[in-house]
Amino acid sequence: KEGWNNISISVGVKNEDYNTLKKIYDANLSIDYITVDVAHGHCRSMYEMLSFLKQTFSETTIIAGNIGTPEGVRDLVSWGADVIKAGIGPGKSCITKLKTGFFTPMFSTIKNIRESCDSSIKIIADGGIQHNGDISKALAAGANFVMAGSIFAQCVDSPGEIINGEKVYFGSASAENKGFKKNVVS
């Protein structure tokens, strides 16, 4: 932790994620935030991961998602999540909608969750933040935070190649970031 105020990592729900977390635990490393990031987090594998994390990293803030319904929020909180990532498929580089046909529009998703769930639950609007006004809209709908990848990727100071006058941006699940192409969309 020398030189760092907060340490945050992101994992999925696969065996290799459990192995990574066990290595971190065995090395007695201090993690402030663990994000469990899957395209549709209202599922049994999320339940199992959150149960494991709450037992193993009880002092760590757990962020989990993504979900698109109030029921998803309530379940993830009851399973051990401290903060919920809401939104399925609205991100600029997200291919969930293309691969699965599922999508939740950001404003109405956040608004519906906020109207239906305990106001003390912390919600992150994840995806769909492509313009400055989208940040205001997400907060007005009831989000506590926003994830804004593409809007910041376009900044002059951010790393990235410029193609046709635009900075290239890849999402966390892209072949460019993962190093392989698991799903082909034509």
Side-chain angles (χ1 to χ4, degrees):
K1 274 197 121 172
E2 292 175 24
W4 295 90
N5 292 328
N6 292 292
I7 304 296
S8 177
I9 63 170
S10 182
V11 297
V13 292
K14 296 186 175 169
N15 286 337
E16 57 262 25
D17 298 301
Y18 283 95
N19 293 336
T20 298
L21 290 163
K22 288 173 186 170
K23 288 177 187 175
I24 290 169
Y25 179 80
D26 290 344
N28 199 29
L29 298 175
S30 176
I31 305 292
D32 298 297
Y33 302 92
I34 298 175
T35 300
V36 185
D37 187 9
V38 296
H40 181 35
H42 195 195
C43 59
R44 179 148 188 86
S45 55
M46 177 66 80
Y47 167 77
E48 293 166 356
M49 177 57 82
L50 292 176
S51 298
F52 169 78
L53 289 173
K54 277 305 180 185
Q55 291 173 12
T56 311
F57 295 93
S58 60
E59 300 298 313
T60 300
T61 299
I62 307 299
I63 302 166
N66 284 29
I67 55 79
T69 64
E71 295 80 8
V73 171
R74 288 190 284 270
D75 282 348
L76 268 61
V77 168
S78 73
W79 299 343
D82 301 301
V83 180
I84 305 298
K85 290 189 332 127
I88 298 176
K92 184 176 182 178
S93 62
C94 185
I95 61 170
T96 300
K97 182 178 177 182
L98 297 173
K99 287 174 28 182
T100 68
F102 292 100
F103 170 80
T104 62
M106 185 52 62
F107 185 86
S108 56
T109 299
I110 297 297
K111 190 172 185 312
N112 187 29
I113 288 167
R114 195 44 81 201
E115 289 173 349
S116 305
C117 294
D118 185 323
S119 63
S120 67
I121 297 171
K122 301 294 183 216
I123 304 293
I124 299 172
D126 182 9
I129 308 297
Q130 296 181 30
H131 308 283
N132 296 343
D134 295 331
I135 295 170
S136 301
K137 292 173 198 168
L139 296 173
N144 301 94
F145 315 94
V146 297
M147 291 189 83
S150 64
I151 196 169
F152 290 116
Q154 296 301 315
C155 292
V156 173
D157 295 339
S158 69
E161 184 180 358
I162 296 175
I163 298 177
N164 296 329
E166 248 188 70
K167 197 168 287 183
V168 178
Y169 169 72
F170 302 108
S172 61
S174 68
E176 291 77 10
N177 277 338
K178 288 193 173 230
F180 62 89
K181 192 170 201 170
K182 180 178 176 184
N183 300 296
V184 178
V185 178
S186 51

